[in-house]
Amino acid sequence: MEDATLTTQAALLYPATPDLTFDELLTEINTFLTRRGEQVLERSEMSSQHFVLLSNPRLHVSIALHATPLGARGLDQALAAAVTRAKGEDFDRLAADSPAHLRIAVGDGPHPMPIERPDAVQVRTKLRLLQEVLRLVTARARPLAAHLCTSDLFYTPEELAAALAAAPSPVLTLHPVPTPKQTGPRGRDGTGLIAWQSHHLIGRTLVLEGIPEAVPLEMSLALLDTLVREKVKGALALAEGDALKETLGMALYVRHAAPDATFPKGRIIVSFWPEPAEAAGTEAPAPFRPHPGYSAITAVWERDAEGGESVTLGHGSLRSTGKRQAGGSGWMILVGIGLFLWVGLPLLNLPKMAIESAFSDEPVLGETSR
């Protein structure tokens, strides 16, 4: 379950629908991409006053404005998280009552629901672009709060701004979960922290072990963020047997654990204890459930014995399956349904010709039967 694809989406909560100029955002996004040697994005004709789709053949960015609350559906894990509760903010109320919200998504391919399975863009590339779009949007319209699917956590405006100022920021991807107190070597008690989602950044799940009880949660979270950030930069190897020593006498000891059912990518354990505890914890931690996205759309491609491809779109209890044969037929309608479910808008002005062709046996213009 931990190894599911990372969903690079975010939602910003507002007291009213923010006034954004999509063309200005596109210019700044393209400036950012050009500096990184990436292909620029173009604005899709599907865009409207409240929705914009920016894309190139490799990836896309969509921004959707909603004059409704985000709601708490599907956010139970984020709202119940220890890290969320420690912030002292009433995120339940903000999610339920904030009059407007904005959704941002970065995805593979030129379209949120592509006709062909797109090539996967590197996770770090999508994360970095998502954080840059968040920075640009929040600089123009400060939100009341934010939720990121990448970490499945809520953020205050202040901590979001601080994280984006230091982008790329691991704190916007990690979902830290405290583990119970355990007795380590020489009778030293300590707690732990599992940095779920860190395997997307460093290849394995990072776990802190043996944290002294006197250490505040904020300091432990800062240590997690630093370790991941330095590992990504190449400044820390976090190799098996490493010892990270401070001049004040404190040391952290690194060991690796093999993949298992809970941690399919394995673990990097950074411990305050020089040796592992004699007795492991009595219970394995509950697996983390990555957030599937606000519409929870799934698209599954299958090929049948005749060589035709079918796609199944799922959204909660709604599932719709269509087949694409040589002449094409129902695919544009399925794509439209997918956009409708994600954006929450009408079918985004799908061309009349494409809609009509979906209900006939005639090929779409430019296609020929084979």
Side-chain angles (χ1 to χ4, degrees):
M1 187 172 295
E2 180 209 21
D3 196 30
T5 301
L6 185 67
T7 303
T8 41
Q9 296 182 15
L12 303 173
L13 312 184
Y14 286 99
T17 305
D19 184 16
L20 296 175
T21 304
F22 292 140
D23 287 339
E24 289 182 1
L25 286 173
L26 174 59
T27 298
E28 294 208 43
I29 292 170
N30 281 340
T31 299
F32 169 79
L33 291 172
T34 300
R35 287 201 307 265
R36 296 173 61 87
E38 297 279 351
Q39 183 176 351
V40 299
L41 305 178
E42 295 183 1
R43 181 168 175 163
S44 168
E45 293 181 357
M46 289 182 173
S47 304
S48 68
Q49 182 180 357
H50 302 291
F51 171 78
V52 67
L53 174 61
L54 311 173
S55 65
N56 62 34
R58 187 164 174 253
L59 54 75
H60 68 270
V61 174
S62 60
I63 303 172
L65 304 175
H66 297 262
T68 58
L70 175 64
R73 180 184 176 188
L75 300 177
D76 51 318
Q77 181 171 247
L79 292 169
V83 176
T84 297
R85 296 197 308 270
K87 297 174 184 178
E89 292 286 338
D90 192 353
F91 291 112
D92 299 74
R93 180 188 60 80
L94 287 170
D97 297 342
S98 297
H101 73 281
L102 175 152
R103 299 181 191 177
I104 300 169
V106 176
D108 300 325
H111 197 285
M113 293 301 300
I115 292 177
E116 301 287 351
R117 184 195 301 269
D119 293 332
V121 177
Q122 188 180 38
V123 166
R124 289 188 196 176
T125 299
K126 290 185 288 187
L127 283 171
R128 186 66 187 89
L129 180 55
L130 175 65
Q131 292 185 17
E132 178 64 13
V133 177
L134 278 167
R135 187 187 70 80
L136 293 172
V137 170
T138 55
R140 289 164 169 77
R142 178 184 171 90
L144 300 171
H147 173 266
L148 270 69
C149 293
T150 49
S151 61
D152 198 13
L153 289 175
F154 278 91
Y155 302 87
T156 65
E158 294 78 16
E159 63 182 338
L160 180 64
L164 294 174
S169 184
V171 73
L172 299 179
T173 302
L174 307 181
H175 185 102
V177 174
T179 58
K181 182 174 71 174
Q182 186 180 3
T183 300
R186 305 169 193 167
R188 294 165 57 188
D189 290 342
T191 59
L193 268 179
I194 302 173
W196 295 112
Q197 302 289 73
S198 54
H199 71 286
H200 289 293
L201 300 175
I202 61 174
R204 295 172 179 244
T205 300
L206 181 64
V207 177
L208 285 185
E209 178 187 74
I211 305 169
E213 290 186 87
V215 175
L217 178 61
E218 289 182 3
M219 288 185 65
S220 299
L221 294 175
L223 176 58
L224 270 184
D225 181 73
T226 300
L227 290 172
V228 174
R229 187 186 295 273
E230 295 303 304
K231 170 69 172 172
V232 169
K233 287 165 54 178
L236 276 179
L238 296 182
E240 173 73 34
D242 279 358
L244 314 176
K245 296 185 178 180
E246 293 275 334
T247 56
L248 297 178
M250 186 190 80
L252 297 171
Y253 303 91
V254 182
R255 69 180 191 274
H256 290 186
D260 57 28
T262 306
F263 302 97
K265 297 293 185 182
R267 284 171 290 165
I268 297 175
I269 301 171
V270 178
S271 181
F272 286 79
W273 298 328
E275 306 95 24
E278 293 182 3
T282 55
E283 294 184 8
F288 176 70
R289 297 176 289 109
H291 197 288
Y294 301 111
S295 66
I297 294 175
T298 57
V300 179
W301 282 266
E302 297 175 333
R303 186 177 296 276
D304 59 26
E306 289 77 29
E309 274 190 341
S310 64
V311 63
T312 299
L313 304 181
H315 178 267
S317 60
L318 172 64
R319 299 198 68 79
S320 178
T321 302
K323 180 172 289 187
R324 185 184 69 144
Q325 298 291 356
S329 58
W331 271 78
M332 289 303 294
I333 288 298
L334 283 174
V335 170
I337 291 172
L339 282 171
F340 173 76
L341 291 173
W342 194 92
V343 181
L345 297 173
L347 288 179
L348 301 176
N349 301 318
L350 286 175
K352 180 180 178 183
M353 180 178 62
I355 294 176
E356 290 175 348
S357 70
F359 289 99
S360 72
D361 293 327
E362 296 298 320
V364 178
L365 185 65
E367 286 190 340
T368 58
S369 298
R370 293 187 292 271

